[in-house]
Amino acid sequence: GHIGLPTLNRGLPDKQFLFVNGRPVRDKLLLGAVRGAYQDFLARNRHPLLALYIELPPREVDVNVHPAKTEVRFRDAGSVRGLIIGALRHALADAGHRTTTTVSDFALGAMRPGTGAGTTHFSSRSSSPTRGLAEDSLRYQAPLESTPAAGPLPGLQAVPSAAAAEALPEDAESYPMGVARAQLHETYIVSQTADGMVIVDQHAAHERLVYETMKQALENGSVARQGLLIPEVVELDEDAAAALVSRAQELAALGLVLESFGPGSVVVRETPALLGEMDIAGLVRDLVGEIAAMGDALSLKERLQDVCSTMACHGSVRAGRRLKPDEMNALLREMEATPHSGQCNHGRPTYVEMRLTDIEKLFGRR
């Protein structure tokens, strides 16, 4: 089959084409297997794009269970489901940190010359369009004598070339994610690659990295904890506090140790070490929402991706935090080494890549 990267998704599952022995079907088991394979990468209301072709001996499938023959019944449904989930997850793992090219295409399309606001504006102060534009442009220019010699633009933190050179080897630009050159608005990292540039959403990218690290720790059976010097008391309503305390043992397995602290409150004594400093009260309240949504029927282990995703969000580098050059480059190197780092836990892209050839076309060099 052919499957889309998680960052290529839709609000409806109308671009999922499934075939069994050449017959198009809309089978619940197959659609459920697709959701299971992508549940680690997409929000619940988003759906991937794909075409899957399942072939098996005719005796292993009954095609006469629906009048329109759009549903089938497999003799060994568990094996079919496991095969599909395994194949899709294997293909997604092979994609590494890649993100869909449609994101970059959209960004480039938004920057096409002549499409920006104000490109057809003429000043009413002059009958000459050229002179009117020239007069308008003066409002956005500081006098030359008052312009700092090398001052940064508002919201832009440039990375000194010397600092970048010290942090990375000479062939650094051969790295897929390139070398960090600037940070925009304390939210986006701009890096230079061998043949273009990459813009990274630092919070979305780090959230994914923390999430993958937490999953690996859980698979290894140990999540390192850090004890709080001063335990934090979180005020909740009585029902929410009781629901949270009832899951205390399961939360402890995830590295979050808490207990009841009177009616309507809990005290947090330990947190997962990999989350570092964070808003503990905000995390606890978000976990209350997750537990309420899943109900009593499901254990946290069965909804592990949702709980870990919530924790990872609170333990990530936040938007609005200024990063040092070595921190930015460390994030880029970790993205290269981490599967699925091309999308955040909700299926949104963590970075946009632009080729130098495309950038040159924007300026008429090609």
Side-chain angles (χ1 to χ4, degrees), residues 234 236 238-249 251 256 258 266 268 284-285 287-288 291:
V234 182
L236 305 165
E238 291 192 25
D239 291 340
L244 201 60
V245 171
S246 69
R247 302 290 186 115
Q249 188 172 353
L251 289 170
L256 185 68
L258 55 80
V266 297
V268 178
V284 169
R285 293 190 179 99
L287 286 175
V288 167
I291 291 173

Side-chain angles (χ1 to χ4, degrees), residues 152-199:
L153 294 172
L156 171 65
Q157 176 196 4
V159 178
S161 299
E166 290 175 5
L168 295 169
E170 294 181 0
D171 62 344
E173 289 184 15
S174 65
Y175 292 141
M177 299 297 293
V179 185
R181 294 303 187 197
Q183 184 187 29
L184 303 179
H185 302 287
E186 287 79 39
T187 301
Y188 303 101
I189 298 170
V190 179
S191 72
Q192 178 179 333
T193 63
D195 58 353
M197 63 178 286
V198 171
I199 304 174

Side-chain angles (χ1 to χ4, degrees), residues 35-52:
R35 283 196 299 272
Y38 277 88
Q39 69 178 0
D40 216 14
F41 315 106
L42 290 178
R44 296 168 191 162
N45 60 344
R46 305 301 297 179
H47 305 275
L49 282 65
L50 50 81
L52 298 181

